[in-house]
Structure formats: C-alpha cells, structure tokens
Amino acid sequence: MSPAARQPAEKPVPDAPREPESAADSGLGMYRQVRQDLIDGTIDPGSLLLETALGSRYGVSRTPVREALNRLEQDGLLERVPRGYRVPVITAEDILELYEARIALEATAAGAAALRRTDLDLARITHHHERLLEATGTEEAADASASFHKAVWHAGHNAIVSGLLDRLITQMRLFDRAPTVEPAKRELTHEEHARLITAIRDHDADAARREIVAHLGRNRDVRLAALARTLP
C-alpha cells in the first residue's frame, strides 16, 4: 500500500484507556491488544499512533509498544510515517490488490479442498452454510460467511495457504467493517456457496476454483462500488 496514494488528515487515537491484559506488559500482549482494537474499530483508519501516547493509554512502557507497532507494520496493519505510525485508509488500489491475492490463494484452497476434504470437513462447510441461511442479523450473517470460507480453507489441508489467508483477511477486516453479506445480496451468496459445496462434495477441483473466483470477484466489485459512493 503506497503512503503517497493517500494523505488523510491525521486523527489522534481517542483517549479511552482500557484495563490492560495480564500480558500487556510484553510486546506480544501489546501486539494482540492493539491488533484487536484496530480490527474492532476502536482505533480509526487515519489515526496517528505514537509510542508515548500508546504507552500512557495502555499503562505500559515504550518498549512493548515499539515491539507491537513494528510487528503490526509487518502485518500490513500500520504504515510508518515521520512522526510514528498511521492506520492506513483504504483506496481502490488496495481493494484490487487485496482481492487479487485473496482470489489466487482461495482458489488454491478450494481446489485442494475438493481433492482432499474428509467427510468431517464437508460437514463443517455445510454447517456454516446452513448457519448463513438461517442468520437474521447482519453481524450473524457476516460471522457465518467468514466461518464458511475458513472451513473451505482448512478442508484443503494446507496450513501455509490457510495461514496466509488468515493474515490477508485480517488486513481486509481493518478496512472493511461493513457486514460481509449484504441483505440484498444474501440470496446470490447462498447460491454461490451452494455451488461451491457441490463442487467440493463431488471432488471437482476445477469447478471449485471456478466458483470461488466468481464469488470473490463479485465481492470485490461490491466493495469497489461501496468505496466509490463515499468519494466526493
């Protein structure tokens, strides 16, 4: 993500101290806590993060804060700026790059799932599909959809691909806090998931890859359209 492509107004982190976790005095503890705050939206895109301010906010020294910020930058969740670190703001280029990577990885996972899945794997995938069918709220639907995709990754039995996808999805969650499954598009999502399940059930790797590419391509286009509506 190119810092030059985006120049948002710097927003300070809101002063809302929280009770630190028991491991918050370590770099790992701070990393987990700040990472969760980023994903939850407690810290907004565009916020400037400074070691001293974060140390005061979480009640720890600068050393674990520095370790956490360095690791979050490596994860792609922060970008370095002259005064410290900043939470990136999504651009159309970011969406295209993230989805290009996700589609390539998830197509690999779906094809592998069709070839390697066990009966238990198929049952898990089907379970989360049924959860989505029965979901009544947007958050419940988003959680079921995310679990469905993770079940497909794990059915491919490639820990490296699953790990890369998990990291990539974390980046996407930082930018996309809107529900993953829009109510108006829910029926289409159900149909796409059902076709993917059929391909995995029938051990049809080509069809599984084709279905996931089409499904994620549509999701990408939905997000690009949503971003366009927010631009002046």
Side-chain angles (χ1 to χ4, degrees):
M1 300 175 189
S2 173
R6 50 177 94 86
Q7 296 295 332
E10 293 180 353
K11 299 184 296 182
V13 178
D15 186 14
R18 293 169 40 172
E19 185 70 22
E21 298 172 350
S22 58
D25 58 346
S26 70
L28 179 59
M30 274 302 304
Y31 164 78
R32 288 172 174 166
Q33 189 163 354
V34 177
R35 179 178 181 271
Q36 192 60 52
D37 283 348
L38 288 168
I39 292 171
D40 289 345
T42 304
I43 303 175
D44 293 326
S47 295
L48 180 66
L49 305 185
L50 304 175
E51 291 179 11
T52 52
L54 285 178
S56 297
R57 173 182 172 82
Y58 294 103
V60 298
S61 68
R62 293 180 62 179
T63 298
V65 172
R66 185 180 304 117
E67 293 174 5
L69 293 177
N70 286 335
R71 186 167 177 179
L72 289 164
E73 181 192 16
Q74 293 171 8
D75 286 350
L77 299 180
L78 294 177
E79 57 189 16
R80 192 184 292 269
V81 294
R83 294 176 57 197
Y85 294 84
R86 184 163 50 208
V87 185
V89 177
I90 192 67
T91 67
E93 181 182 21
D94 293 331
I95 293 175
L96 290 170
E97 290 179 356
L98 287 165
Y99 267 95
E100 182 177 24
R102 181 178 178 181
I103 287 170
L105 287 167
E106 201 152 348
T108 297
L115 298 175
R116 301 173 186 166
R117 62 88 179 163
T118 64
D119 289 343
L120 180 58
D121 291 327
L122 186 60
R124 287 185 179 128
I125 294 169
T126 303
H127 166 69
H128 292 301
H129 174 61
E130 291 172 350
R131 283 182 57 213
L132 180 55
L133 290 173
E134 297 169 359
T136 56
T138 53
E139 290 187 8
E140 183 183 4
D143 180 70
S145 181
S147 297
F148 173 87
H149 282 269
K150 283 192 175 185
V152 172
W153 310 344
H154 292 303
H157 295 279
N158 185 321
I160 293 177
V161 170
S162 294
L164 289 170
L165 277 165
D166 193 54
R167 176 174 172 173
L168 184 63
I169 295 304
T170 298
Q171 276 188 269
M172 296 178 78
R173 286 178 62 193
L174 176 64
F175 301 124
D176 185 8
R177 298 190 181 103
T180 305
V181 184
E182 300 178 21
K185 310 277 191 213
R186 188 86 56 85
E187 191 61 37
L188 184 53
T189 297
H190 294 162
E191 294 171 2
E192 291 167 344
H193 283 185
R195 289 196 296 269
L196 178 58
I197 291 173
T198 298
I200 292 173
R201 183 196 64 204
D202 295 345
H203 301 288
D204 190 338
D206 288 340
R209 286 189 288 265
R210 185 170 60 250
E211 294 298 340
I212 200 67
V213 167
H215 174 57
L216 293 177
R218 182 178 65 82
N219 285 351
R220 175 201 59 213
D221 294 343
V222 167
R223 278 155 178 74
L224 285 170
L227 178 63
R229 289 194 294 271
T230 67
L231 299 177

